Amino acid sequence: MSLTLSGRILPAEDRRVLAAFAAQAAVVLDRQRLQQKADEAKELAEGHHIRTALLAAVSHDLRTPLAGIKAAVTSLRSDDVEWSSRDQAEFLEAIEEGADRLDHLVGNLLDMSRLQTGTVTPVIRETDLDEVIPMALGGVPEDSVDLDVSETLPMVDVDRGLLERSVANVVENAVKYSPPGERVLVSPGAIADRVEVRVVDRGPGVPDEAKSRIFEPFQRYGDSPRGAGVGLGLAVARGFAEAIGATLNAEDTPGGGLTMVLTLPTAPQRRPEEPDRASAVPT
Protein backbone atom coordinates (compact mmCIF):
# COMPACT_ATOMS: atom_id res chain seq x y z
CA MET A 1 0.00 0.00 0.00
CA SER A 2 1.41 3.36 -0.95
CA LEU A 3 0.32 6.99 -1.01
CA THR A 4 1.65 8.86 -4.04
CA LEU A 5 1.54 12.61 -4.65
CA SER A 6 2.79 14.77 -7.48
CA GLY A 7 4.03 18.33 -7.41
CA ARG A 8 6.71 20.20 -5.59
CA ILE A 9 9.11 18.49 -3.23
CA LEU A 10 7.80 18.65 0.33
CA PRO A 11 10.01 19.70 3.22
CA ALA A 12 10.87 17.08 5.83
CA GLU A 13 8.27 18.33 8.33
CA ASP A 14 5.44 18.08 5.79
CA ARG A 15 6.62 14.62 4.75
CA ARG A 16 6.40 13.47 8.38
CA VAL A 17 2.82 14.79 8.62
CA LEU A 18 1.98 13.06 5.35
CA ALA A 19 3.51 9.79 6.54
CA ALA A 20 1.43 9.96 9.74
CA PHE A 21 -1.70 10.61 7.67
CA ALA A 22 -0.90 7.63 5.41
CA ALA A 23 -0.38 5.39 8.45
CA GLN A 24 -3.76 6.42 9.88
CA ALA A 25 -5.43 5.80 6.51
CA ALA A 26 -3.89 2.33 6.40
CA VAL A 27 -5.22 1.58 9.89
CA VAL A 28 -8.73 2.65 8.85
CA LEU A 29 -8.62 0.49 5.71
CA ASP A 30 -7.36 -2.51 7.68
CA ARG A 31 -10.15 -2.01 10.21
CA GLN A 32 -12.71 -1.90 7.40
CA ARG A 33 -11.37 -5.14 5.93
CA LEU A 34 -11.45 -6.84 9.32
CA GLN A 35 -15.03 -5.63 9.91
CA GLN A 36 -16.06 -6.95 6.49
CA LYS A 37 -14.53 -10.34 7.29
CA ALA A 38 -16.29 -10.36 10.66
CA ASP A 39 -19.63 -9.56 9.01
CA GLU A 40 -19.11 -12.33 6.47
CA ALA A 41 -18.28 -14.78 9.26
CA LYS A 42 -21.42 -13.69 11.14
CA GLU A 43 -23.57 -14.24 8.04
CA LEU A 44 -22.06 -17.68 7.57
CA ALA A 45 -22.72 -18.54 11.22
CA GLU A 46 -26.34 -17.35 10.96
CA GLY A 47 -26.81 -19.33 7.77
CA HIS A 48 -25.37 -22.40 9.45
CA HIS A 49 -27.72 -21.91 12.41
CA ILE A 50 -30.74 -21.62 10.12
CA ARG A 51 -29.72 -24.70 8.13
CA THR A 52 -29.21 -26.67 11.34
CA ALA A 53 -32.59 -25.59 12.69
CA LEU A 54 -34.24 -26.35 9.37
CA LEU A 55 -32.76 -29.84 9.35
CA ALA A 56 -34.05 -30.33 12.89
CA ALA A 57 -37.49 -29.20 11.75
CA VAL A 58 -37.45 -31.56 8.80
CA SER A 59 -36.21 -34.46 10.90
CA HIS A 60 -38.81 -34.03 13.65
CA ASP A 61 -41.63 -31.62 12.91
CA LEU A 62 -42.16 -32.93 9.39
CA ARG A 63 -41.56 -36.60 10.09
CA THR A 64 -43.84 -36.75 13.12
CA PRO A 65 -47.10 -35.92 11.26
CA LEU A 66 -45.94 -37.99 8.31
CA ALA A 67 -45.46 -40.98 10.59
CA GLY A 68 -48.95 -40.48 12.04
CA ILE A 69 -50.51 -40.26 8.59
CA LYS A 70 -48.61 -43.35 7.43
CA ALA A 71 -49.68 -45.35 10.48
CA ALA A 72 -53.35 -44.37 10.09
CA VAL A 73 -53.41 -45.18 6.37
CA THR A 74 -51.65 -48.51 6.94
CA SER A 75 -54.20 -49.44 9.60
CA LEU A 76 -57.14 -48.55 7.38
CA ARG A 77 -55.72 -50.61 4.49
CA SER A 78 -55.06 -53.64 6.66
CA ASP A 79 -57.13 -56.73 5.82
CA ASP A 80 -56.38 -58.45 9.13
CA VAL A 81 -58.62 -56.23 11.26
CA GLU A 82 -62.27 -55.26 10.85
CA TRP A 83 -62.33 -51.64 11.98
CA SER A 84 -65.53 -50.18 13.36
CA SER A 85 -66.99 -46.94 12.00
CA ARG A 86 -65.74 -45.14 15.09
CA ASP A 87 -62.20 -46.46 14.62
CA GLN A 88 -62.22 -45.46 10.96
CA ALA A 89 -63.38 -41.96 11.89
CA GLU A 90 -60.54 -41.64 14.40
CA PHE A 91 -57.99 -42.74 11.79
CA LEU A 92 -59.36 -40.23 9.28
CA GLU A 93 -59.27 -37.50 11.90
CA ALA A 94 -55.61 -38.30 12.63
CA ILE A 95 -54.83 -38.12 8.90
CA GLU A 96 -56.58 -34.77 8.60
CA GLU A 97 -54.79 -33.31 11.64
CA GLY A 98 -51.42 -34.51 10.35
CA ALA A 99 -52.06 -33.02 6.92
CA ASP A 100 -53.13 -29.69 8.45
CA ARG A 101 -49.99 -29.65 10.57
CA LEU A 102 -47.81 -30.28 7.53
CA ASP A 103 -49.61 -27.59 5.54
CA HIS A 104 -49.13 -25.06 8.35
CA LEU A 105 -45.45 -25.93 8.77
CA VAL A 106 -44.64 -25.77 5.06
CA GLY A 107 -46.54 -22.48 4.78
CA ASN A 108 -44.47 -20.92 7.57
CA LEU A 109 -41.23 -22.16 6.01
CA LEU A 110 -42.19 -20.62 2.67
CA ASP A 111 -43.25 -17.37 4.33
CA MET A 112 -39.96 -17.11 6.23
CA SER A 113 -38.07 -17.75 3.00
CA ARG A 114 -39.98 -14.90 1.34
CA LEU A 115 -39.19 -12.56 4.24
CA GLN A 116 -35.48 -13.40 4.26
CA THR A 117 -35.13 -12.96 0.50
CA GLY A 118 -37.08 -9.69 0.48
CA THR A 119 -39.75 -10.90 -1.97
CA VAL A 120 -42.73 -9.80 0.15
CA THR A 121 -44.48 -6.97 -1.70
CA PRO A 122 -47.43 -5.62 0.31
CA VAL A 123 -50.44 -4.04 -1.38
CA ILE A 124 -51.61 -1.38 1.09
CA ARG A 125 -55.24 -0.35 0.95
CA GLU A 126 -58.03 0.80 3.22
CA THR A 127 -59.35 -2.21 5.13
CA ASP A 128 -62.10 -2.99 7.62
CA LEU A 129 -60.90 -5.29 10.41
CA ASP A 130 -64.35 -6.91 10.49
CA GLU A 131 -63.46 -8.44 7.11
CA VAL A 132 -60.00 -9.71 8.07
CA ILE A 133 -59.93 -10.92 11.67
CA PRO A 134 -62.77 -13.49 11.38
CA MET A 135 -60.97 -14.99 8.38
CA ALA A 136 -57.75 -15.23 10.43
CA LEU A 137 -59.51 -17.37 13.05
CA GLY A 138 -60.40 -20.12 10.61
CA GLY A 139 -57.47 -22.30 11.63
CA VAL A 140 -58.39 -22.66 15.32
CA PRO A 141 -61.38 -24.40 16.98
CA GLU A 142 -64.43 -22.16 17.33
CA ASP A 143 -64.65 -22.72 21.09
CA SER A 144 -61.03 -21.64 21.69
CA VAL A 145 -61.34 -17.92 20.91
CA ASP A 146 -63.57 -15.04 22.02
CA LEU A 147 -63.72 -12.24 19.46
CA ASP A 148 -64.63 -8.74 20.64
CA VAL A 149 -64.68 -6.31 17.71
CA SER A 150 -66.22 -2.87 18.09
CA GLU A 151 -68.43 -1.67 15.24
CA THR A 152 -66.93 1.82 15.55
CA LEU A 153 -63.34 0.85 14.73
CA PRO A 154 -61.71 3.10 12.12
CA MET A 155 -60.43 1.67 8.86
CA VAL A 156 -56.74 0.69 8.70
CA ASP A 157 -54.19 0.94 5.90
CA VAL A 158 -52.74 -2.56 5.49
CA ASP A 159 -52.23 -5.46 3.12
CA ARG A 160 -55.22 -7.70 3.87
CA GLY A 161 -53.49 -10.98 3.10
CA LEU A 162 -50.38 -10.25 5.15
CA LEU A 163 -52.47 -8.94 8.05
CA GLU A 164 -54.61 -12.08 8.02
CA ARG A 165 -51.53 -14.34 8.09
CA SER A 166 -49.97 -12.30 10.89
CA VAL A 167 -53.10 -12.41 13.08
CA ALA A 168 -53.63 -16.10 12.31
CA ASN A 169 -50.13 -17.04 13.46
CA VAL A 170 -50.43 -14.99 16.66
CA VAL A 171 -53.83 -16.48 17.54
CA GLU A 172 -52.72 -20.05 16.76
CA ASN A 173 -49.69 -19.59 19.00
CA ALA A 174 -51.88 -18.23 21.82
CA VAL A 175 -54.33 -21.14 21.51
CA LYS A 176 -51.44 -23.61 21.48
CA TYR A 177 -50.09 -22.38 24.82
CA SER A 178 -53.44 -21.78 26.55
CA PRO A 179 -54.54 -24.28 29.23
CA PRO A 180 -57.40 -26.62 28.22
CA GLY A 181 -60.73 -24.88 28.61
CA GLU A 182 -59.24 -21.37 28.58
CA ARG A 183 -60.31 -19.18 25.68
CA VAL A 184 -58.05 -16.69 23.93
CA LEU A 185 -59.44 -13.16 23.71
CA VAL A 186 -58.97 -11.22 20.47
CA SER A 187 -59.88 -7.58 21.09
CA PRO A 188 -59.13 -4.73 18.64
CA GLY A 189 -59.44 -1.16 19.88
CA ALA A 190 -58.70 2.36 18.61
CA ILE A 191 -56.09 4.50 20.39
CA ALA A 192 -55.37 7.96 18.96
CA ASP A 193 -54.17 7.48 15.36
CA ARG A 194 -53.72 3.72 15.52
CA VAL A 195 -55.62 0.50 16.11
CA GLU A 196 -54.33 -2.15 18.51
CA VAL A 197 -55.30 -5.79 18.08
CA ARG A 198 -54.70 -7.47 21.44
CA VAL A 199 -54.50 -11.27 21.58
CA VAL A 200 -54.73 -12.30 25.24
CA ASP A 201 -54.01 -15.77 26.58
CA ARG A 202 -53.82 -17.31 30.05
CA GLY A 203 -50.89 -19.58 29.37
CA PRO A 204 -47.59 -19.80 31.26
CA GLY A 205 -46.39 -16.45 29.94
CA VAL A 206 -42.84 -15.46 28.96
CA PRO A 207 -40.19 -13.76 31.16
CA ASP A 208 -39.15 -10.24 30.17
CA GLU A 209 -35.67 -11.35 29.10
CA ALA A 210 -37.17 -13.84 26.62
CA LYS A 211 -39.88 -11.64 25.10
CA SER A 212 -37.68 -10.43 22.25
CA ARG A 213 -36.27 -13.88 21.49
CA ILE A 214 -39.66 -15.49 20.85
CA PHE A 215 -39.90 -13.48 17.62
CA GLU A 216 -36.66 -14.92 16.23
CA PRO A 217 -36.84 -17.79 13.71
CA PHE A 218 -36.69 -21.33 15.11
CA GLN A 219 -37.11 -20.13 18.71
CA ARG A 220 -39.53 -21.84 21.10
CA TYR A 221 -40.11 -21.10 24.76
CA GLY A 222 -41.54 -23.66 27.15
CA ASP A 223 -43.71 -26.68 26.46
CA SER A 224 -47.01 -26.42 24.66
CA PRO A 225 -50.02 -28.45 25.87
CA ARG A 226 -51.00 -28.91 22.22
CA GLY A 227 -47.60 -29.77 20.80
CA ALA A 228 -44.79 -27.45 19.76
CA GLY A 229 -44.08 -26.34 16.22
CA VAL A 230 -40.86 -25.46 14.51
CA GLY A 231 -40.71 -21.97 16.04
CA LEU A 232 -41.54 -19.86 13.01
CA GLY A 233 -45.08 -18.65 13.68
CA LEU A 234 -44.25 -15.50 15.63
CA ALA A 235 -41.23 -14.69 13.47
CA VAL A 236 -43.42 -14.75 10.36
CA ALA A 237 -46.15 -12.76 12.15
CA ARG A 238 -43.72 -9.97 13.09
CA GLY A 239 -42.10 -9.99 9.65
CA PHE A 240 -45.45 -9.55 7.92
CA ALA A 241 -46.47 -6.89 10.46
CA GLU A 242 -43.34 -4.86 9.77
CA ALA A 243 -43.87 -5.27 6.01
CA ILE A 244 -47.23 -3.46 6.27
CA GLY A 245 -45.97 -0.71 8.57
CA ALA A 246 -47.30 -2.27 11.77
CA THR A 247 -45.60 -3.47 14.96
CA LEU A 248 -45.98 -6.65 17.00
CA ASN A 249 -44.86 -6.83 20.63
CA ALA A 250 -45.44 -9.03 23.68
CA GLU A 251 -46.74 -7.94 27.08
CA ASP A 252 -47.67 -9.71 30.29
CA THR A 253 -51.34 -10.52 30.75
CA PRO A 254 -52.53 -9.19 34.12
CA GLY A 255 -53.13 -12.21 36.32
CA GLY A 256 -50.88 -14.49 34.23
CA GLY A 257 -50.34 -15.23 30.58
CA LEU A 258 -49.10 -13.38 27.50
CA THR A 259 -50.69 -10.60 25.45
CA MET A 260 -49.60 -9.94 21.87
CA VAL A 261 -50.20 -6.36 20.74
CA LEU A 262 -50.43 -5.78 16.98
CA THR A 263 -50.46 -2.02 16.29
CA LEU A 264 -51.84 -0.94 12.91
CA PRO A 265 -51.87 2.47 11.21
CA THR A 266 -55.34 3.92 10.67
CA ALA A 267 -56.44 5.02 7.22
CA PRO A 268 -56.44 8.78 6.63
CA GLN A 269 -59.83 10.42 6.95
CA ARG A 270 -61.23 11.35 3.56
CA ARG A 271 -63.23 14.46 2.95
CA PRO A 272 -66.66 13.93 1.40
CA GLU A 273 -66.60 14.74 -2.29
CA GLU A 274 -68.31 17.96 -3.26
CA PRO A 275 -71.05 17.78 -5.92
CA ASP A 276 -70.09 18.65 -9.47
CA ARG A 277 -71.59 22.10 -9.83
CA ALA A 278 -70.99 22.26 -13.57
CA SER A 279 -73.19 19.22 -14.16
CA ALA A 280 -75.95 20.28 -11.79
CA VAL A 281 -79.32 20.75 -13.46
CA PRO A 282 -81.57 23.47 -11.99
CA THR A 283 -85.14 22.51 -11.20
Side-chain angles (χ1 to χ4, degrees):
M1 184 183 300
S2 62
L3 177 63
T4 304
L5 296 99
S6 60
R8 65 182 179 85
I9 299 176
L10 295 177
E13 183 177 353
D14 290 345
R15 287 199 298 270
R16 286 195 295 270
V17 172
L18 187 61
F21 173 80
Q24 291 295 324
V27 170
V28 171
L29 291 175
D30 286 339
R31 186 178 301 171
Q32 289 178 346
R33 282 196 294 267
L34 290 174
Q35 183 63 47
Q36 182 178 0
K37 291 181 179 179
D39 292 340
E40 292 174 353
K42 182 179 179 181
E43 290 179 1
L44 289 175
E46 290 177 351
H48 178 71
H49 170 69
I50 292 176
R51 285 194 297 272
T52 302
L54 182 58
L55 287 175
V58 172
S59 64
H60 179 268
D61 295 274
L62 286 177
R63 293 181 65 180
T64 299
L66 282 175
I69 293 173
K70 176 67 174 178
V73 171
T74 302
S75 299
L76 286 173
R77 289 173 56 87
S78 175
D79 297 329
D80 301 333
V81 182
E82 187 69 27
W83 301 108
S84 66
S85 299
R86 181 177 180 180
D87 292 333
Q88 293 179 16
E90 289 180 355
F91 285 134
L92 292 174
E93 182 180 0
I95 293 172
E96 184 177 18
E97 289 179 354
D100 288 342
R101 185 175 174 183
L102 284 175
D103 179 69
H104 180 70
L105 176 58
V106 172
N108 274 337
L109 288 171
L110 293 175
D111 287 340
M112 181 52 60
S113 175
R114 292 171 58 201
L115 288 169
Q116 291 184 337
T117 56
T119 57
V120 176
T121 306
V123 179
I124 306 298
R125 55 177 173 169
E126 194 174 272
T127 302
D128 188 346
L129 287 179
D130 282 341
E131 301 175 358
V132 178
I133 293 183
M135 297 292 294
L137 305 183
V140 296
E142 294 182 1
D143 60 350
S144 63
V145 176
D146 286 331
L147 178 59
D148 181 18
V149 181
S150 172
E151 296 181 356
T152 60
L153 279 178
M155 305 286 280
V156 293
D157 263 351
V158 295
D159 181 294
R160 297 184 182 183
L162 297 183
L163 175 60
E164 180 182 332
R165 291 300 300 273
S166 183
V167 173
N169 278 11
V170 171
V171 173
E172 289 172 8
N173 185 78
V175 170
K176 184 190 304 180
Y177 284 92
S178 293
E182 289 283 352
R183 290 172 175 260
V184 170
L185 174 62
V186 180
S187 178
I191 301 178
D193 60 345
R194 63 190 188 275
V195 172
E196 289 186 351
V197 180
R198 305 181 75 87
V199 180
V200 184
D201 70 58
R202 293 293 179 180
V206 176
D208 290 340
E209 63 271 14
K211 282 186 173 64
S212 60
R213 294 200 304 270
I214 61 176
F215 294 102
E216 298 176 2
F218 305 105
Q219 296 294 318
R220 293 180 292 195
Y221 182 83
D223 295 326
S224 162
R226 294 173 174 82
V230 72
L232 282 177
L234 293 181
V236 170
R238 173 172 274 188
F240 282 168
E242 292 175 349
I244 61 177
T247 60
L248 178 62
N249 295 293
E251 299 178 355
D252 292 328
T253 300
L258 191 68
T259 296
M260 292 290 179
V261 183
L262 179 63
T263 305
L264 307 169
T266 58
Q269 297 292 330
R270 296 182 179 180
R271 297 180 179 178
E273 296 182 358
E274 297 182 358
D276 187 357
R277 297 179 181 178
S279 61
V281 178
T283 57

